[in-house]
Amino acid sequence: MFGKIFSMAHCALTVAALAGFATFSFADNINVNGTNRSMNVYAPRNIEKNRPLIIQMHGMNQDAPYQQNAAKWEPIADTARFVVVFPNGQNKAWDISGDKDLNFIKAIINEMYNKYGIDKNRVYVSGFSMGGMMSYHVANKMGDQIAAIAPVSGGGGVNSPKRAMPIMHTHGTTDDVVNYNSTVNTLKGWVSAQKCSSSSKVTKPYPAHKSGSAASLEVWSGCKDNVEVRLLTIAGKGHWYSMDEAVSVNTSVEIWNFVKNYSLDGSSLPPPIQVPTDRDSIFNGGFDSTDVAWTLQTHGSAAATGDVKNGKYELDISAVGTENYQVQVIQHDLHLEKGQWYEVSFEASAGDSRTLEVNVEQHTDPWTSYLTEKQNFEIGKESKTYSFQFQMTASTDKDSRLSFNAGASTGTLTLDNVTLKKIEEPSLKLTTTRFGATVAESTFEVYNLAGKRLGFVEIFENDVPNMQKTVKNAGFGKGLYILRNKTRSFMLPMDR
């Protein structure tokens, strides 16, 4: 058979290695030539588009969950930002000579492109034991679609590959299932076929700074198309996937550090998006191809999905809740300083006219609002810019959040160009829409800064002194007041 069951001690080690991060993988199914095929998929939260894909195949008599637990790709994928798929072979085996599983691999690539927008120039294939053999089969038949392969404990010969293939092969010297020496000879066939340098560079121990490492690395360079062929040997290792960094290497880390150097178009891998914490501005407020830094939360009976389309965030609410906050689009890690004034601005439109509640609050229980009153905006079908200003009167919070609360109505809501910026203390007004040169008389509610409604006034908004005189004649003394009607709000200082 291809693939052994770990000892209990090794199982305990791999389970312990999982601690410290959450797994967000899920099972998925796709139809391939009329047959239902299954796989486990791991995609980091808010994965941006044009990131790599690694397909990792299990050994014979094993399955996707087994390989996923053995290889532990999740923390690497979270840091470097790529998608990992663990497919299931039929009857726990792979078709290493025909087209059945090649078609499965092709279908996986297309499915991950449709779901996550993966970079088709950066698809890498790896596998353990028979999965490693399948990796070589893929290299021979799909070289124009695979940027690099990384087999582990499973060999395969050269059979008219479509392009020179970067290869990193990992194998233990005491493998009693797939013979180490036989596989090394097979790998050297690839070295010859790809016209690599006949001399190799050996690093032993590997890494060089780890004097007690059981691993060594042999590298053949100078190959066609500037690819490399590498053999990572682990002395005394049997037929299993090595993750023992204490005495050798983390195989998955080594694989990623190799394959990430290759793409079908020769381009360099852009660095992953790093979301800064403890920041005083919105990150990715323009939704530049991704919703990274934003989180959609639903609560209670509410249901909604969100995605970036055409550089805007589109929220589709299919079921309302009993409260606005039961559908929330959130960005946290915001640093708000006590006493500082801020302005929030955003563009919004909706499939049908609706109200949108906006709040600035604690990110943790009890989620205390930092506004004198949550802001409510009437959103129409035409995209418009909305804004409000506030002063942070609570203690400085290094992990506050901006929340768009949309649980009151079903339908679509589109957000774009969200900003948060520091401003000077306003001398007059905080507006949700700019006033024109002349505005008709209207009724405004008057609030204090604690959010308590004090009464009503009828005012003209043409000049400040007349507005202040009108408010004073209505019985309001010195202080700072919020004036609001259904479409506008602003602050009016009364200093006389």
Side-chain angles (χ1 to χ4, degrees), residues 37-114:
R37 301 299 300 269
S38 63
M39 57 190 172
N40 283 6
V41 179
Y42 182 84
R45 286 189 182 274
N46 301 316
I47 182 73
E48 55 269 37
K49 297 186 187 303
N50 294 313
R51 300 305 297 175
L53 167 66
I54 290 182
I55 301 174
Q56 251 249 326
M57 294 170 287
H58 60 77
M60 186 174 180
N61 293 328
Q62 296 171 352
D63 58 16
Y66 184 93
Q67 184 61 25
Q68 184 174 2
N69 181 62
K72 299 187 175 15
W73 278 98
E74 292 87 348
I76 308 169
D78 281 341
T79 300
R81 309 293 291 174
F82 58 84
V83 178
V84 192
V85 172
F86 304 88
N88 278 304
Q90 287 187 314
N91 300 316
K92 298 188 175 182
W94 299 103
D95 179 6
I96 58 175
S97 59
D99 294 336
K100 178 179 66 176
D101 287 328
L102 295 176
N103 292 333
F104 186 20
I105 298 296
K106 294 174 184 177
I108 290 172
I109 296 170
N110 289 332
E111 181 77 358
M112 295 302 102
Y113 178 79
N114 292 335

Side-chain angles (χ1 to χ4, degrees), residues 2-245:
F2 301 99
K4 287 186 174 180
I5 304 297
F6 293 153
S7 69
M8 289 304 293
H10 190 271
C11 284
L13 174 64
T14 56
V15 170
L18 272 173
F21 69 92
T23 300
F24 303 111
S25 61
F26 63 93
D28 200 3
N29 295 276
I30 52 176
N31 188 282
V32 183
N33 297 332
T35 301
N36 189 48
R37 301 299 300 269
S38 63
M39 57 190 172
N40 283 6
V41 179
Y42 182 84
R45 286 189 182 274
N46 301 316
I47 182 73
E48 55 269 37
K49 297 186 187 303
N50 294 313
R51 300 305 297 175
L53 167 66
I54 290 182
I55 301 174
Q56 251 249 326
M57 294 170 287
H58 60 77
M60 186 174 180
N61 293 328
Q62 296 171 352
D63 58 16
Y66 184 93
Q67 184 61 25
Q68 184 174 2
N69 181 62
K72 299 187 175 15
W73 278 98
E74 292 87 348
I76 308 169
D78 281 341
T79 300
R81 309 293 291 174
F82 58 84
V83 178
V84 192
V85 172
F86 304 88
N88 278 304
Q90 287 187 314
N91 300 316
K92 298 188 175 182
W94 299 103
D95 179 6
I96 58 175
S97 59
D99 294 336
K100 178 179 66 176
D101 287 328
L102 295 176
N103 292 333
F104 186 20
I105 298 296
K106 294 174 184 177
I108 290 172
I109 296 170
N110 289 332
E111 181 77 358
M112 295 302 102
Y113 178 79
N114 292 335
K115 281 193 172 181
Y116 302 108
I118 60 102
D119 184 354
K120 285 190 174 183
N121 288 311
R122 291 186 173 276
V123 178
Y124 310 115
V125 171
S126 175
F128 172 70
S129 192
M130 194 180 197
M133 297 176 186
M134 185 65 199
S135 300
Y136 280 110
H137 185 43
V138 169
N140 278 310
K141 300 299 184 182
M142 291 177 58
D144 56 342
Q145 298 176 60
I146 305 300
I149 68 168
V152 180
S153 303
V158 188
N159 182 14
S160 303
K162 295 185 177 182
R163 56 177 276 272
M165 180 61 64
I167 300 172
M168 178 164 186
H169 185 106
T170 305
H171 217 114
T173 59
T174 58
D175 190 328
D176 58 352
V177 177
V178 180
N179 182 266
Y180 170 78
N181 291 323
S182 175
T183 300
V184 170
N185 290 333
T186 300
L187 183 64
K188 289 181 178 179
W190 282 87
V191 170
S192 176
Q194 299 192 146
K195 302 187 183 305
C196 306
S197 172
S198 57
S199 59
S200 60
K201 178 182 178 181
V202 178
T203 302
K204 185 177 182 179
Y206 178 82
H209 68 269
K210 188 184 291 186
S211 59
S213 175
S216 61
L217 179 67
E218 187 170 8
V219 179
W220 290 268
S221 55
C223 312
K224 286 172 54 179
D225 301 329
N226 295 316
V227 307
E228 278 188 353
V229 176
R230 294 188 173 194
L231 172 62
L232 182 59
T233 298
I234 306 176
K237 182 66 69 177
H239 191 66
W240 61 79
Y241 198 98
S242 173
M243 299 293 287
D244 193 353
E245 291 184 86

Side-chain angles (χ1 to χ4, degrees), residues 415-457:
L415 299 172
D416 197 14
N417 294 326
V418 185
T419 65
L420 169 71
K421 64 181 181 181
K422 293 181 177 180
I423 60 172
E424 297 296 325
E425 180 177 354
S427 59
L428 171 61
K429 61 184 179 181
L430 293 82
T431 64
T432 55
T433 56
R434 288 191 177 276
F435 298 158
T438 60
V439 180
E441 181 178 303
S442 58
T443 301
F444 281 79
E445 297 175 305
V446 181
Y447 294 82
N448 64 19
L449 292 184
K452 182 180 179 180
R453 189 170 64 182
L454 305 176
F456 301 86
V457 291

